[in-house]
Structures are given as structure tokens and as C-alpha cells.
């Protein structure tokens, strides 16, 4: 008994060391790539501050354009993940990043609503598969018990994009507002596409597809990781056919939960600068700096919830609580009216809750799916759930125009988030919390 007790911590420490090494070798670069992706996806929220006046767009036009990105994303996401599973992450992630950088930069040529819709749709087509591809990639490197930490690390890229992107976007809009060449919002699309292009090229040289190809792991470490993940995968679900895959009710329940979650995510991402502006701040640079605060608050929240959910094996409970907290914060930020301090406090609570829930969610499907089923399952959930990325900005924009009251849209977003917190209880703890 004594020998067993002494050996076990040593073995556990060895496993911890190898996954810590993997984390520090692959995660910072992945976070950088996702930061670039997210910046290109949501910088339209800052461009809105100028381009709506320049192009005479209404909130409804903006909301539809911001959301139509996800229609292209929806159509091409599952095929993209299945291709990545076959050809490898290095080549496919590089392809995704380079094409979306080019299309994001080309948005500067938009002059009409139709051109705006086409640019956003094509950006969705280009980026489809990036996020589920990275989540699939992490299943090659981390077993389920370590994946909560890895996913939390990954999703730190969203608040980092807010911390970096907010001040940068605000500064670009003001600094280039008097440019004789282009308007500030056009410079915004051009300048913020450059990091994605550079990172996409770097992927070809820096990314390693699988642990067995990692020259920085010893033979024993490679074997340890491969065997642990293979042993874990043997107990997971691999569907025999497309029909059995489509009949798995757990997937469709998770699609519903994720849909409600994403309503909240893009309620924050696409409207945060506008909420701060509506609280009484008019200077774009100040809006940019203030918009960084909620994302800064979210970073420790994501890390703490990821660690505690792994430790206590309680993803569902952590997810539900985080999502309800996020809903309360967002609803409050709409309720307080023209008070910048309270608006930022409400947005900070809302953003921390929403992003913490997002990082926790993906530990659930990857806990019971393996192989091609994991590739297709993660992509399907992300694909169907991300239709909320179309619904959320369009719903808020339409409600803003129809009611003349920005509070109503945020209340609707909060209601969807509470519904998601309730629906996640339909997933058995046997699958969700292992």
C-alpha cells in the first residue's frame, strides 16, 4: 500500500510535466493565431462606429452583415474539419488563415449593403473550420482530464483580442480619420489583416501535426501521450455511420446549448463598443481603451473556472453558473443607461461569465467523442451553434431599430443565455463531467 501511494504521485508528476511542456510549446502560438482570427472576425464592431455614417447603413443592415459571416461558416465548417483530420492541421490551418486575411483586408472596398454582405459571407467561408479545427487538434495532444486547462488557455485569445484590439482599433479610427487616402475604418480592415497573414505563413513552419512528430518530446514522452490518449479514445464513442452519428441525441442537445451560449458571445463582441458609446463616451480612442477592461477581467475568470472544473469534474455546474452570471452582467449593462462606469462594470461581469462558459463548453463533447466522430461532432456542434452568430447581431440590431431601445436587445441576449444554462442539465453528468 505504501509503495503504491508513493509511486502514484511520481507517475502523476511525470504526466503533468509532459503536458506542461506540450502546453508551453504549442499553446502560445495557437492563442496568437486565434487572437488574429477573432480580431478579423469582430473588428467590424469598431468599423461600425464610422462606416455606418459614411455608407448610410442602419443598425439592421449592420446586424445582418455582421451575422451573415456565420452562414458561410455554417456551410463549410464540417467539410473543413473532416479535411483537416485527413491532411493535417499545419497545412489546413495555414490555408484558412491566409485566405481570411486577404478577404478581411478586401472589406475596405465595401460601398453598398450588398457588398458588405458578400464580404462578410466570404470571410465566414474562409475562416470556417479554424476554431473547431484547433479544438480537434487539442484532442491529439491532451487527454480529457487536461483538456479543460488547454481549452481555457485557448479561449484566453478572445479577451486578449479585446484587450489588444480595442485600443488598437480605436486608435486607428482616430489616427487615420483625416487620411487623404482612405477613411479610418478602411485602414482598420487593412492594418488588422496583416497579423493574420503573417501568422498563417508562420503556421507552415511552426505547427506540428501530432505528438509523434514533435522533435522536442523524448521517445518515452511521445509514447506516454499517445498511449494515454489511445486508451482514453477506446472508451469513447466512434459512430459506425453517418446515420448513427445523426441519431446521437447528445450532439443535438449540445447544439442547442451552444446556440444559446453563442447568442451571448456575439452580443458582447459585436455590440460592446456601441454600448460604451451609448453610455456617453464619444471619443473613439477612449471607447477602445474602455472596451479592453471587460476582456481584461475575463482572463483570470477563464483560467480559474477551467482549473476548478477539471479539479472537481463538474463542467455542467461551472458552465451553468458562468452563463447565468454573464446574462446578469449583460442585462445590467443595458439597464443602467448613460453611466460609463456602471456600463463597464456590467460589461465586465457579462464578458467574464460568457467567456468562462465558452471555454468550459468544449470539454463536454471532447470527453465522449473520438476519431472521425470527434472531428465531425465538434464541427457539427460549432457549426449549428454558430448560427447564433447570425441570429444574435441581427436580432439585437432589429430590436434596436424596431423599439428604439437598446436595452431590449440585451435583455433578449440574456434570456437566451439563461436558457442555455438550463438546457445543459439535459446532458448526463456521466458524459459531461468525466
Amino acid at each position: 500500500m505504501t509503495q503504491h501511494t508513493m509511486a502514484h504521485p511520481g507517475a502523476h508528476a511525470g504526466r503533468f510535466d509532459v503536458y506542461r511542456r506540450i502546453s508551453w510549446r504549442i499553446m502560445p502560438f495557437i492563442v496568437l493565431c486565434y487572437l488574429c482570427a477573432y480580431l478579423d472576425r469582430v473588428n467590424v464592431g469598431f468599423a461600425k462606429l464610422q462606416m455606418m455614417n459614411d455608407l448610410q447603413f442602419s443598425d439592421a443592415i449592420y446586424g445582418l452583415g455582421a451575422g451573415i459571416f456565420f452562414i458561410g461558416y455554417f456551410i463549410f465548417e464540417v467539410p473543413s474539419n473532416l479535411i483537416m483530420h485527413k491532411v493535417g492541421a499545419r497545412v489546413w490551418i495555414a490555408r484558412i488563415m491566409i485566405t481570411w486575411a486577404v478577404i478581411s483586408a478586401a472589406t475596405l472596398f465595401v460601398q453598398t449593403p450588398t457588398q458588405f454582405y458578400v464580404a462578410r459571407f466570404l470571410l465566414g467561408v474562409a475562416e470556417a473550420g479554424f476554431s473547431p479545427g484547433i479544438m480537434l487538434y487539442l484532442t491529439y495532444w491532451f487527454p480529457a482530464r487536461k483538456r479543460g486547462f488547454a481549452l481555457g488557455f485557448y479561449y484566453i485569445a478572445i479577451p486578449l483580442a479585446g484587450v489588444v484590439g480595442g485600443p488598437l482599433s480605436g486608435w486607428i479610427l482616430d489616427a487615420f480619420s483625416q487620411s487623404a487616402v482612405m477613411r479610418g475604418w478602411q485602414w482598420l480592415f487593412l492594418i488588422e489583416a496583416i497579423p493574420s497573414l503573417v501568422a498563417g505563413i508562420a503556421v507552415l513552419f511552426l505547427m506540428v501535426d501530432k505528438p509523434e512528430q514533435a522533435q522536442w518530446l523524448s521517445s518515452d514522452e511521445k509514447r506516454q501521450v499517445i498511449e494515454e490518449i489511445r486508451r482514453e479514445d477506446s472508451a469513447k464513442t466512434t459512430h459506425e455511420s453517418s446515420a448513427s452519428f445523426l441519431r446521437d441525441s447528445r450532439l443535438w442537445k449540445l447544439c442547442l446549448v451552444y446556440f444559446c451560449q453563442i447568442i451571448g458571445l456575439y452580443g458582447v463582441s459585436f455590440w460592446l463598443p456601441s454600448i460604451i458609446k451609448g453610455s456617453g463616451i464619444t471619443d473613439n480612442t477612449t471607447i477602445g481603451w474602455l472596451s479592453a477592461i471587460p476582456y481584461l477581467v475575463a482572463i483570470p475568470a477563464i483560467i480559474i473556472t477551467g482549473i476548478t472544473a477539471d479539479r472537481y469534474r463538474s463542467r455542467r455546474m461551472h458552465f451553468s453558473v458562468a452563463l447565468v452570471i454573464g446574462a446578469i452582467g449583460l442585462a445590467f449593462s443595458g439597464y443602467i443607461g448613460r453611466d460609463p462606469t456602471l456600463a463597464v462594470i456590467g460589461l465586465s461581469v457579462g464578458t467574464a461569465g460568457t467567456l468562462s462558459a465558452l471555454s468550459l463548453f468544449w470539454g463536454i463533447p471532447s470527453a465522449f467523442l473520438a476519431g472521425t466522430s470527434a472531428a465531425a461532432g465538434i464541427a457539427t456542434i460549432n457549426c449549428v451553434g454558430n448560427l447564433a452568430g447570425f441570429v444574435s447581431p441581427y436580432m439585437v440590431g432589429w430590436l434596436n431599430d424596431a423599439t428604439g431601445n437598446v436595452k431590449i436587445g440585451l435583455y433578449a441576449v440574456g434570456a437566451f443565455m439563461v436558457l442555455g444554462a438550463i438546457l445543459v442539465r439535459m446532458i448526463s453528468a456521466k458524459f459531461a463531467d468525466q
Side-chain angles (χ1 to χ4, degrees):
M1 175 68 80
T2 306
Q3 288 180 334
H4 175 75
T5 305
M6 291 174 65
H8 183 70
H12 186 274
R15 290 199 299 271
F16 177 76
D17 287 342
V18 70
Y19 293 118
R20 183 167 57 186
R21 183 175 299 114
I22 289 170
S23 295
W24 285 112
R25 286 302 294 253
I26 72 172
M27 293 308 300
F29 184 59
I30 286 173
V31 167
L32 175 66
C33 291
Y34 191 46
L35 190 156
C36 295
Y38 204 78
L39 198 59
D40 277 348
R41 185 188 297 185
V42 301
N43 59 7
V44 68
F46 275 92
K48 170 183 184 284
L49 300 176
Q50 279 186 355
M51 77 186 290
M52 285 186 57
N53 283 334
D54 283 359
L55 304 180
Q56 299 299 300
F57 287 178
S58 67
D59 263 9
I61 290 173
Y62 165 74
L64 179 58
I68 209 166
F69 167 96
F70 294 96
I71 302 300
Y73 202 83
F74 172 80
I75 295 169
F76 290 93
E77 189 163 2
V78 175
S80 176
N81 229 30
L82 293 173
I83 291 170
M84 195 198 92
H85 191 57
K86 289 183 181 297
V87 305
R90 185 180 65 87
V91 170
W92 198 244
I93 296 295
R95 192 285 305 163
I96 290 172
M97 294 191 71
I98 292 167
T99 52
W100 97 50
V102 172
I103 293 168
S104 183
T107 308
L108 69 88
F109 296 111
V110 163
Q111 292 296 316
T112 68
T114 301
Q115 291 171 353
F116 182 48
Y117 301 152
V118 170
R120 293 292 298 174
F121 176 81
L122 291 177
L123 187 64
V125 171
E127 198 187 318
F130 177 80
S131 194
I134 292 295
M135 285 179 278
L136 177 64
Y137 180 68
L138 294 179
T139 68
Y140 302 154
W141 293 86
F142 296 96
R145 64 183 180 78
K146 286 293 180 186
R147 213 167 291 140
F149 171 76
L151 288 166
F153 202 147
Y154 171 56
Y155 276 111
I156 284 174
I158 295 180
L160 280 179
V163 171
V164 174
L168 175 64
S169 299
W171 176 80
I172 291 171
L173 289 179
D174 282 344
F176 290 89
S177 62
Q178 304 302 318
S179 169
V181 181
M182 293 187 297
R183 297 286 289 134
W185 62 268
Q186 293 174 305
W187 281 107
L188 177 69
F189 284 121
L190 178 62
I191 292 170
E192 292 190 352
I194 294 170
S196 296
L197 182 64
V198 173
I201 294 168
V203 166
L204 288 169
F205 300 95
L206 298 178
M207 186 170 272
V208 179
D209 283 339
K210 297 279 182 74
E212 51 264 42
Q213 299 165 356
Q215 296 179 352
W216 36 268
L217 290 177
S218 69
S219 298
D220 285 346
E221 288 170 333
K222 290 177 187 177
R223 185 166 56 252
Q224 185 179 309
V225 173
I226 292 165
E227 286 179 358
E228 183 166 3
I229 291 173
R230 186 178 295 144
R231 187 166 57 248
E232 187 180 83
D233 284 352
S234 68
K236 294 182 183 179
T237 302
T238 49
H239 297 92
E240 297 174 358
S241 65
S242 298
S244 67
F245 174 81
L246 293 173
R247 283 195 303 269
D248 192 333
S249 64
R250 294 171 300 181
L251 292 171
W252 303 111
K253 290 173 183 175
L254 286 171
C255 286
L256 278 176
V257 173
Y258 194 54
F259 183 91
C260 294
Q261 154 80 54
I262 294 299
I263 289 277
L265 175 65
Y266 290 111
V268 172
S269 302
F270 288 128
W271 296 97
L272 190 147
S274 299
I275 294 167
I276 293 174
K277 185 175 183 177
S279 73
I281 304 294
T282 55
D283 177 65
N284 289 326
T285 302
T286 305
I287 292 171
W289 282 106
L290 289 177
S291 72
I293 295 172
Y295 291 110
L296 204 56
V297 172
I299 293 174
I302 291 171
I303 295 169
I304 291 166
T305 52
I307 291 171
T308 56
D310 274 357
R311 181 172 297 166
Y312 297 107
R313 300 286 178 95
S314 59
R315 289 192 187 98
R316 290 188 314 162
M317 187 270 286
H318 278 71
F319 176 87
S320 296
V321 171
L323 208 52
V324 170
I325 289 173
I328 292 169
L330 282 182
F332 177 77
S333 69
Y335 175 75
I336 48 84
R338 296 180 70 81
D339 187 324
T341 302
L342 289 179
V344 171
I345 290 172
L347 287 167
S348 296
V349 173
T351 304
T354 304
L355 295 185
S356 295
L358 182 67
S359 69
L360 293 167
F361 176 83
W362 287 108
I364 299 174
S366 61
F368 65 85
L369 293 172
T372 304
S373 290
I378 289 170
T380 300
I381 294 164
N382 203 53
C383 174
V384 175
N386 261 308
L387 284 175
F390 169 76
V391 173
S392 182
Y394 185 61
M395 174 184 72
V396 176
W398 181 83
L399 286 171
N400 286 356
D401 284 349
T403 65
N405 187 345
V406 294
K407 297 177 185 178
I408 306 301
L410 288 173
Y411 294 163
V413 168
F416 269 102
M417 293 168 71
V418 171
L419 178 61
I422 295 168
L423 290 176
V424 80
R425 310 304 295 185
M426 296 190 307
I427 310 297
S428 167
K430 174 185 173 185
F431 301 114
D433 293 330
Q434 60 180 303

